[in-house]
Amino acid sequence: MTHVQNVDGQGQLLIGERFSPMTYHVTVERRNAGYRAKVEMQAPRDWLIRQGFQSRATLVLSSGDRIELEHDGAVDVSDSISVLLQGAALDYGDRDALVAAFPEADESSS
């Protein structure tokens, strides 16, 4: 795999039935003819606890696609003040499919 790009996007984090605007980070790698994207975000621990977050939430990307984000175990006051949430790696067959899911990765618009 070859690292291609890092980009940030603006989406909505869905916890329970409540949406909250959040920034997420995407790392893009080249895999043979396709691409692999990994999504992660940082969120304040206390805010997550107040929202009722346990260990999973849904991130609605700027494209409208949804990704499940997880934290390793339930979040509680013993966690660091900023909690990392990560999604499973996503594979795309070509650049067009990648940009359809992550418009912020469109290098031609920069």
Side-chain angles (χ1 to χ4, degrees):
M1 283 192 282
T2 304
H3 175 76
V4 176
Q5 145 185 60
N6 290 319
V7 293
D8 292 322
Q10 184 68 35
Q12 297 279 327
L13 188 64
L14 175 61
I15 300 173
E17 296 183 18
R18 194 182 288 156
F19 285 96
S20 300
M22 299 296 277
T23 299
Y24 57 87
H25 181 76
V26 184
T27 301
V28 179
E29 297 174 334
R30 182 93 176 159
R31 289 183 51 100
N32 302 318
Y35 294 87
R36 173 168 280 182
K38 295 179 184 172
V39 177
E40 63 182 33
M41 62 173 288
Q42 295 279 340
R45 173 199 66 206
D46 295 343
W47 178 83
L48 286 170
I49 291 170
R50 282 193 307 273
Q51 301 306 308
F53 178 84
Q54 294 296 311
S55 63
R56 296 183 71 142
T58 301
L59 177 64
V60 181
L61 304 174
S62 57
S63 66
D65 289 356
R66 292 174 177 235
I67 295 177
E68 291 297 313
L69 296 181
E70 294 183 316
H71 175 68
D72 186 25
V75 173
D76 63 32
V77 293
S78 67
D79 284 297
S80 64
I81 204 150
S82 183
V83 175
L84 179 65
L85 307 179
Q86 296 179 303
L90 304 165
D91 292 319
Y92 298 94
D94 59 30
R95 185 89 188 158
D96 290 339
L98 171 73
V99 171
F102 299 100
E104 57 272 17
D106 185 0
E107 294 172 329
S108 67
S109 67
S110 8

